Amino acid sequence: MKNKNIETKKECVTINSPNGEITGPKGFMASGITCGIKQSGRKDMALIVSEIPASIAAVFTTNKMAAPPVVLSKSHASNGVASAIIINSGNANACTGKQGMDDAQAMARLTAETLGVNTEDVIVASTGIIGVPLPMKTIKLGIEEAAKALSFDSMAGLDAAEAILTTDTFKKEAGIEVHYSDENEGFIADRGIIKIGGMAKGSGMIEPNMATMLAFITTDAEIEPKLLDKMLKRAVAVSFNSITVDGDTSTNDMVAIMANGASGFTVSEENSSFFQQALNTICIELAQLIVKDGEGATKLIEIEVMGARSNSEAKQVAKSIANSNLVKTAFFGQDANWGRVVCAAGYSSAEVHQSKIDVFYGDQKLVENGCPIGYDNEKVDAILKEKEIKVLVDLKLGSGNARVWTCDFSYDYVKINAEYHT
Amino acid sequence: MKNKNIETKKECVTINSPNGEITGPKGFMASGITCGIKQSGRKDMALIVSEIPASIAAVFTTNKMAAPPVVLSKSHASNGVASAIIINSGNANACTGKQGMDDAQAMARLTAETLGVNTEDVIVASTGIIGVPLPMKTIKLGIEEAAKALSFDSMAGLDAAEAILTTDTFKKEAGIEVHYSDENEGFIADRGIIKIGGMAKGSGMIEPNMATMLAFITTDAEIEPKLLDKMLKRAVAVSFNSITVDGDTSTNDMVAIMANGASGFTVSEENSSFFQQALNTICIELAQLIVKDGEGATKLIEIEVMGARSNSEAKQVAKSIANSNLVKTAFFGQDANWGRVVCAAGYSSAEVHQSKIDVFYGDQKLVENGCPIGYDNEKVDAILKEKEIKVLVDLKLGSGNARVWTCDFSYDYVKINAEYHT
């Protein structure tokens, strides 16, 4: 039951935090170091630690080839408590068989021993090349160094955000503050401030259902694990599971959130919707950053579908359009090829009537009732030159709607993926 | 009930015909002319006519935005008899609303009047740009000219094959002869020769379920429409519905076969399996030609999946791999990135166990029980340099298997599709 009074009060405000780091919320330390997995010498190990055991919730890849760190972390997250997240980049520890599971367990154990916490309270994530065993001597030394480098400082959060990247071209962070307050006879009294910080990596292979994508979120709110899990799943549905770069989903993806209660403010079922909005905002921001950094991407494309028979059918249509290589190359070419949008809507499994569909690019209507209408070429061309483009498809069959984000498809996508050698 | 005696006799032979044209089988005339729809001045109208009314069977796009010619031809094919197929390229007559349906009907009626046959016995197909009404005056004159140009000659078949192309870079034809004979006390007596000829167009947007793809097949066998329909569906399943270029399916696709009985030889349920094999061969050949001419394609990739729980799950896994942009760019880059193959197998909806999967490129095993094995780099590199590459995935879960064909993914795919302007 939502407490609407609290949620809609104008005193409840969220502020996008200039300090988006995962070390923004109270009680979280982090580090990002070069341990030597990547031949490039770039940072390749990150550690996030909560001073006090935190509630944990996490969502994992649905790929049946889930890598050992995913299998292990799913088990560790299931008890609802975590103290640390250890992440390496440069090697995904995927397709590594029994050795891979032993190595993931060793990463958790070594981290726990170094920090003096329970092994089951350590979450492990890996990203990078597939099919090569982790260099465990390097990993062991790295964990010790990462623990030494731990700091509450914002720089430490930035280092961690850098250390989880692979083919990404920039760090991805977002932060928000939620101010809860009461108005009492004209006086406004703070009830509490909670912070949420997040970091992510993506680039290529990003489809819904968690693809070569890692995101870690911290908050100093007090939230019991079941509620945290429910809120994370809701936020992931409208953010990370609503983006697509090339339709592939990977073996290693996860989104995890730790809530340590250090702010002293408790988020409960009754006052959860405000926190939910803030969490959605953070997740959508991180998800959009991932799409913007899609391999070779030059544009962020939002596909909104309305008027579907249901929200899930709206999402099917939106994803069908967002995953179409023909649609994506047309946006790269800045061409108003609405035919490809209509065609992609037609081959999704959702109900679509060709005599009803309308298509808009930005505020310009291009298609009405399935046929093109005389639109203003100059205005449409101007929209297509923008870095961010909104496509709206109205199926006029019901009240289902959905939004997904994708990027355009350029020569550089092919270049990056054809020249990336195993 | 199959008559195995006839089917397996060594005297039943098929011969790949050097004359693959649709005018190869007896009693079929064709023409291919420039009527003026394409601004380039290239051929843009084809006509196929059977001297005598023929049995017809056809398979159409499943896209819900099916174009007017598809809707009309579905209705015309349903009576099982056809005399002619009229095809224009350069304009798809799709997303054209009521006008589009009037125009498709007019195309059938004008063709019927010119040839002196029933309007319902004319099949209409269109391919090209979307959302622009057909230039009906041009079409009318074109139909008259195409009828005048009709000929039994092989050149006429070649002209027709050329006239249905859009962005294709070469004509696609295949032909086969089936010799039925009896051995009687050491003497071999011919029972009959039937011919099958086919032509197709594809290029881009080719996914299973008939995508921007047209194929027309003629045969002089006598076959009743129901059996013809059953055999066409079987052949399409293992050929045109087992290829993919970019996963998009279009508004206009169809595969149609006419059987006019001019050879005097009847194919019935009892002796159908030999004809089925020949039809499958023709369809697979045409389908592979379409993939080879995929936009920007440099390689033909065969993905075979065995050991699935069922044939349909095998096809799901094969298509998941064949549609992966990451797999396709890796083949373009000639990189042995088996990880992308394993990953794509993992996100299909079929049952897959990561501890069981084996992957072969050509005769080289790269992955055993989900883990890479020490393979011969030089041998694998040599395989990856070939123009045709076979990938075999063994799931070791059951006896289901499937084969699909795709192409690699090059810069030119992006170039062609980004620079194609509406």
Side-chain angles (χ1 to χ4, degrees), chain B residues 73 79 124 132 143 169 260 289 327 331 362 378 382 400 418 420:
Chain B
S73 295
N79 66 10
V124 179
V132 179
I143 289 171
T169 64
N260 67 2
L289 288 173
V327 168
F331 280 114
E378 275 183 32
Y420 175 91

PDB file of all heavy atoms in Angstrom, chain B residues 73 79 124 132 143 169 260 289 327 331 362 378 382 400 418 420:
ATOM      1  N   SER B  73      -2.705 -12.177 -54.236  1.00  0.00           N
ATOM      2  CA  SER B  73      -2.190 -13.434 -54.790  1.00  0.00           C
ATOM      3  C   SER B  73      -2.526 -14.614 -53.891  1.00  0.00           C
ATOM      4  O   SER B  73      -2.734 -15.732 -54.365  1.00  0.00           O
ATOM      5  CB  SER B  73      -0.681 -13.336 -55.013  1.00  0.00           C
ATOM      6  OG  SER B  73      -0.411 -12.366 -56.008  1.00  0.00           O
ATOM      7  N   ASN B  79      -7.358 -21.089 -55.220  1.00  0.00           N
ATOM      8  CA  ASN B  79      -8.179 -21.999 -56.028  1.00  0.00           C
ATOM      9  C   ASN B  79      -7.346 -23.089 -56.709  1.00  0.00           C
ATOM     10  O   ASN B  79      -7.889 -23.959 -57.382  1.00  0.00           O
ATOM     11  CB  ASN B  79      -9.052 -21.222 -57.036  1.00  0.00           C
ATOM     12  CG  ASN B  79      -8.213 -20.521 -58.085  1.00  0.00           C
ATOM     13  OD1 ASN B  79      -7.011 -20.760 -58.178  1.00  0.00           O
ATOM     14  ND2 ASN B  79      -8.837 -19.666 -58.877  1.00  0.00           N
ATOM     15  N   VAL B 124       0.123 -11.986 -58.801  1.00  0.00           N
ATOM     16  CA  VAL B 124       0.803 -10.685 -58.911  1.00  0.00           C
ATOM     17  C   VAL B 124       1.871 -10.575 -57.823  1.00  0.00           C
ATOM     18  O   VAL B 124       1.607 -10.889 -56.659  1.00  0.00           O
ATOM     19  CB  VAL B 124      -0.205  -9.530 -58.733  1.00  0.00           C
ATOM     20  CG1 VAL B 124       0.500  -8.172 -58.809  1.00  0.00           C
ATOM     21  CG2 VAL B 124      -1.308  -9.620 -59.784  1.00  0.00           C
ATOM     22  N   VAL B 132       4.790   4.234 -52.067  1.00  0.00           N
ATOM     23  CA  VAL B 132       4.543   5.044 -53.260  1.00  0.00           C
ATOM     24  C   VAL B 132       3.583   4.269 -54.162  1.00  0.00           C
ATOM     25  O   VAL B 132       3.826   3.102 -54.462  1.00  0.00           O
ATOM     26  CB  VAL B 132       5.867   5.316 -54.025  1.00  0.00           C
ATOM     27  CG1 VAL B 132       5.617   6.132 -55.285  1.00  0.00           C
ATOM     28  CG2 VAL B 132       6.870   6.000 -53.112  1.00  0.00           C
ATOM     29  N   ILE B 143       2.723  -4.249 -69.243  1.00  0.00           N
ATOM     30  CA  ILE B 143       2.088  -5.567 -69.345  1.00  0.00           C
ATOM     31  C   ILE B 143       1.866  -5.944 -70.817  1.00  0.00           C
ATOM     32  O   ILE B 143       2.139  -7.073 -71.236  1.00  0.00           O
ATOM     33  CB  ILE B 143       0.751  -5.583 -68.552  1.00  0.00           C
ATOM     34  CG1 ILE B 143       1.051  -5.552 -67.049  1.00  0.00           C
ATOM     35  CG2 ILE B 143      -0.082  -6.812 -68.912  1.00  0.00           C
ATOM     36  CD1 ILE B 143      -0.167  -5.337 -66.148  1.00  0.00           C
ATOM     37  N   THR B 169      22.991  -8.355 -56.988  1.00  0.00           N
ATOM     38  CA  THR B 169      24.110  -8.086 -57.898  1.00  0.00           C
ATOM     39  C   THR B 169      24.234  -9.126 -59.007  1.00  0.00           C
ATOM     40  O   THR B 169      25.060  -8.976 -59.897  1.00  0.00           O
ATOM     41  CB  THR B 169      25.453  -8.023 -57.138  1.00  0.00           C
ATOM     42  OG1 THR B 169      25.725  -9.308 -56.574  1.00  0.00           O
ATOM     43  CG2 THR B 169      25.403  -6.988 -56.017  1.00  0.00           C
ATOM     44  N   ASN B 260       2.389 -27.645 -64.833  1.00  0.00           N
ATOM     45  CA  ASN B 260       1.405 -27.644 -65.922  1.00  0.00           C
ATOM     46  C   ASN B 260       1.155 -29.007 -66.574  1.00  0.00           C
ATOM     47  O   ASN B 260       0.317 -29.139 -67.453  1.00  0.00           O
ATOM     48  CB  ASN B 260       1.776 -26.601 -66.991  1.00  0.00           C
ATOM     49  CG  ASN B 260       3.054 -26.960 -67.736  1.00  0.00           C
ATOM     50  OD1 ASN B 260       3.647 -28.014 -67.484  1.00  0.00           O
ATOM     51  ND2 ASN B 260       3.470 -26.085 -68.638  1.00  0.00           N
ATOM     52  N   LEU B 289      21.950 -19.031 -53.189  1.00  0.00           N
ATOM     53  CA  LEU B 289      22.327 -17.914 -54.067  1.00  0.00           C
ATOM     54  C   LEU B 289      21.888 -16.584 -53.461  1.00  0.00           C
ATOM     55  O   LEU B 289      22.587 -15.584 -53.549  1.00  0.00           O
ATOM     56  CB  LEU B 289      21.708 -18.096 -55.465  1.00  0.00           C
ATOM     57  CG  LEU B 289      22.315 -19.209 -56.331  1.00  0.00           C
ATOM     58  CD1 LEU B 289      21.504 -19.392 -57.604  1.00  0.00           C
ATOM     59  CD2 LEU B 289      23.777 -18.890 -56.672  1.00  0.00           C
ATOM     60  N   VAL B 327      28.570 -12.839 -34.342  1.00  0.00           N
ATOM     61  CA  VAL B 327      29.085 -14.022 -35.040  1.00  0.00           C
ATOM     62  C   VAL B 327      29.422 -13.641 -36.483  1.00  0.00           C
ATOM     63  O   VAL B 327      30.490 -13.979 -37.008  1.00  0.00           O
ATOM     64  CB  VAL B 327      28.036 -15.168 -35.016  1.00  0.00           C
ATOM     65  CG1 VAL B 327      28.426 -16.287 -35.982  1.00  0.00           C
ATOM     66  CG2 VAL B 327      27.866 -15.711 -33.597  1.00  0.00           C
ATOM     67  N   PHE B 331      33.117 -13.692 -38.592  1.00  0.00           N
ATOM     68  CA  PHE B 331      33.446 -14.414 -39.822  1.00  0.00           C
ATOM     69  C   PHE B 331      33.982 -13.463 -40.889  1.00  0.00           C
ATOM     70  O   PHE B 331      34.899 -13.802 -41.626  1.00  0.00           O
ATOM     71  CB  PHE B 331      32.241 -15.217 -40.340  1.00  0.00           C
ATOM     72  CG  PHE B 331      32.067 -16.515 -39.604  1.00  0.00           C
ATOM     73  CD1 PHE B 331      30.957 -16.737 -38.799  1.00  0.00           C
ATOM     74  CD2 PHE B 331      33.035 -17.507 -39.684  1.00  0.00           C
ATOM     75  CE1 PHE B 331      30.810 -17.928 -38.093  1.00  0.00           C
ATOM     76  CE2 PHE B 331      32.902 -18.704 -38.987  1.00  0.00           C
ATOM     77  CZ  PHE B 331      31.790 -18.909 -38.184  1.00  0.00           C
ATOM     78  N   GLY B 362      34.382 -26.351 -39.921  1.00  0.00           N
ATOM     79  CA  GLY B 362      34.848 -27.353 -40.885  1.00  0.00           C
ATOM     80  C   GLY B 362      35.073 -28.654 -40.148  1.00  0.00           C
ATOM     81  O   GLY B 362      34.214 -29.092 -39.374  1.00  0.00           O
ATOM     82  N   GLU B 378      46.551 -22.984 -37.468  1.00  0.00           N
ATOM     83  CA  GLU B 378      46.772 -22.846 -38.920  1.00  0.00           C
ATOM     84  C   GLU B 378      45.626 -23.460 -39.712  1.00  0.00           C
ATOM     85  O   GLU B 378      45.150 -22.883 -40.683  1.00  0.00           O
ATOM     86  CB  GLU B 378      48.081 -23.512 -39.328  1.00  0.00           C
ATOM     87  CG  GLU B 378      49.270 -22.569 -39.150  1.00  0.00           C
ATOM     88  CD  GLU B 378      50.573 -23.198 -39.621  1.00  0.00           C
ATOM     89  OE1 GLU B 378      50.532 -24.011 -40.576  1.00  0.00           O
ATOM     90  OE2 GLU B 378      51.610 -22.884 -39.024  1.00  0.00           O
ATOM     91  N   ALA B 382      42.925 -21.451 -42.043  1.00  0.00           N
ATOM     92  CA  ALA B 382      42.710 -21.811 -43.451  1.00  0.00           C
ATOM     93  C   ALA B 382      41.218 -21.972 -43.733  1.00  0.00           C
ATOM     94  O   ALA B 382      40.721 -21.511 -44.763  1.00  0.00           O
ATOM     95  CB  ALA B 382      43.464 -23.092 -43.788  1.00  0.00           C
ATOM     96  N   GLY B 400      17.537 -34.085 -32.446  1.00  0.00           N
ATOM     97  CA  GLY B 400      17.033 -33.002 -33.295  1.00  0.00           C
ATOM     98  C   GLY B 400      18.161 -32.350 -34.074  1.00  0.00           C
ATOM     99  O   GLY B 400      19.229 -32.099 -33.518  1.00  0.00           O
ATOM    100  N   ALA B 418      22.808   2.187 -45.313  1.00  0.00           N
ATOM    101  CA  ALA B 418      22.783   3.560 -44.800  1.00  0.00           C
ATOM    102  C   ALA B 418      22.652   4.541 -45.953  1.00  0.00           C
ATOM    103  O   ALA B 418      22.077   5.613 -45.809  1.00  0.00           O
ATOM    104  CB  ALA B 418      24.049   3.850 -43.998  1.00  0.00           C
ATOM    105  N   TYR B 420      21.221   3.853 -48.911  1.00  0.00           N
ATOM    106  CA  TYR B 420      20.003   3.658 -49.700  1.00  0.00           C
ATOM    107  C   TYR B 420      18.994   4.688 -49.230  1.00  0.00           C
ATOM    108  O   TYR B 420      18.535   4.624 -48.100  1.00  0.00           O
ATOM    109  CB  TYR B 420      19.468   2.244 -49.459  1.00  0.00           C
ATOM    110  CG  TYR B 420      18.151   1.935 -50.114  1.00  0.00           C
ATOM    111  CD1 TYR B 420      18.095   1.376 -51.389  1.00  0.00           C
ATOM    112  CD2 TYR B 420      16.955   2.182 -49.453  1.00  0.00           C
ATOM    113  CE1 TYR B 420      16.883   1.081 -51.978  1.00  0.00           C
ATOM    114  CE2 TYR B 420      15.737   1.894 -50.043  1.00  0.00           C
ATOM    115  CZ  TYR B 420      15.706   1.343 -51.311  1.00  0.00           C
ATOM    116  OH  TYR B 420      14.511   1.048 -51.893  1.00  0.00           O
TER     117      TYR B 420
END
